[in-house]
């Protein structure tokens, strides 16, 4: 059964598991959805509507989020395939796993000093970005994660670091970038308050995002 849907063109895999479980091992091409809210899902609705086969991954003994089931129903996907991530399932797909590298803010500060090929992606709100962001960072709203033209603004050969207000949206954004085929990335595993106070990281403002 696993082989049947994993190789199908048009298959969309949405992972409902908690943050630590997803970050340290997930099916290639999966998008992590546990860190977002229903009001932020216009881009996800487009993905679901355009998929030909929808698969939801849940932790053992759990069910898909109720808001996600509602979204799928509204998109006309009434009977998605639901897979429970058991130990047996994990072993069966061990050769198809991916992961996201999580780093601390001080690691980012060190990398910026010695790496000339870093791209910073800020996935907070426009207001938060305008009030202060890492120098040189590019801003991505959630609705732009689906936009191939916006994604193309990132250098796929660069080392891409994502950050947000906490760490949930950045992990979702990282999974979407991987879905787009961009894999050389890291997620800064800290809230913005900690990132902004980290020695070695420069903060700048963008007045146009505050208007």
């Amino acid at each position: 059964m696993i082989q049947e849907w994993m190789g199908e063109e048009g298959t969309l895999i949405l992972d409902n598991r908690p943050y630590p479980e997803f970050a340290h091992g997930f099916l290639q091409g999966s998008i992590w959805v546990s860190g977002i809210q229903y009001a932020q899902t216009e881009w996800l609705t487009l993905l679901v509507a355009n998929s030909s086969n929808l698969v939801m991954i849940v932790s053992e003994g759990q069910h898909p989020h109720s808001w996600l089931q509602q979204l799928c129903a509204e998109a006309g996907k009434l009977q998605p395939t639901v897979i429970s991530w058991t130990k047996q399932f994990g072993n069966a797909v061990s050769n198809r796993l991916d992961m996201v590298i999580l780093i601390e803010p001080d690691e980012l500060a060190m990398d910026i000093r010695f790496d000339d090929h870093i791209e910073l992606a800020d996935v907070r709100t426009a207001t938060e970005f305008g009030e202060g962001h890492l120098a040189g960072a590019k801003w991505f709203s959630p609705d732009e994660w689906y936009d191939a033209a916006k994604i193309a603004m990132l250098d796929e050969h660069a080392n891409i670091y994502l950050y947000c207000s906490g760490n949930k949206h950045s992990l979702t954004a990282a999974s979407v970038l991987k879905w787009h085929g961009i894999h050389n990335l890291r997620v800064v595993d800290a809230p913005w308050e900690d990132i902004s106070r980290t020695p070695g990281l420069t903060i700048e403002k963008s007045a146009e995002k505050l208007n």
Side-chain angles (χ1 to χ4, degrees), residues 115-203:
D115 189 345
D116 295 328
H117 302 286
I118 283 181
E119 287 247 26
L120 300 173
D122 188 314
V123 295
R124 298 175 299 148
T125 66
T127 299
E128 289 171 327
F129 182 85
E131 291 174 344
H133 57 269
L134 294 179
K138 295 177 180 177
W139 175 66
F140 289 82
S141 73
D143 289 340
E144 293 173 320
W145 299 347
Y146 180 68
D147 187 344
K150 183 71 174 184
I151 298 297
M153 293 175 59
L154 291 169
D155 182 354
E156 62 179 306
H157 301 296
N159 299 313
I160 301 170
Y161 291 70
L162 300 102
Y163 67 92
C164 63
S165 300
N167 49 31
K168 294 182 178 180
H169 284 176
S170 51
L171 184 60
T172 299
S175 69
V176 174
L177 287 179
K178 282 180 169 286
W179 181 79
H180 278 283
I182 299 176
H183 297 281
N184 194 22
L185 49 82
R186 291 165 172 76
V187 167
V188 183
D189 189 19
W192 170 249
E193 289 76 12
D194 293 349
I195 296 172
S196 63
R197 298 192 189 106
T198 301
L201 296 179
T202 303
I203 309 301

Side-chain angles (χ1 to χ4, degrees), residues 55-100:
V55 178
M56 296 186 189
I57 304 292
V58 298
S59 297
E60 187 171 7
Q62 300 300 311
H63 301 282
H65 302 303
S66 57
W67 65 263
L68 185 57
Q69 295 181 61
Q70 178 185 346
L71 181 151
C72 292
E74 292 174 353
K77 307 296 182 180
L78 301 178
Q79 293 183 318
T81 300
V82 179
I83 301 293
S84 179
W85 193 290
T86 61
K87 183 178 180 180
Q88 181 180 8
F89 176 80
N91 291 336
V93 299
S94 59
N95 63 333
R96 293 175 176 264
L97 296 184
D98 200 351
M99 66 177 295
V100 172

Side-chain angles (χ1 to χ4, degrees), residues 12 26 30 34 43-44 50 64 79 89 106 110 116 128 159 165 174:
L12 178 64
F26 55 90
S30 299
S34 291
W43 62 274
L44 184 58
N50 291 331
Q79 293 183 318
F89 176 80
D106 57 345
M110 182 68 70
D116 295 328
E128 289 171 327
N159 299 313
S165 300

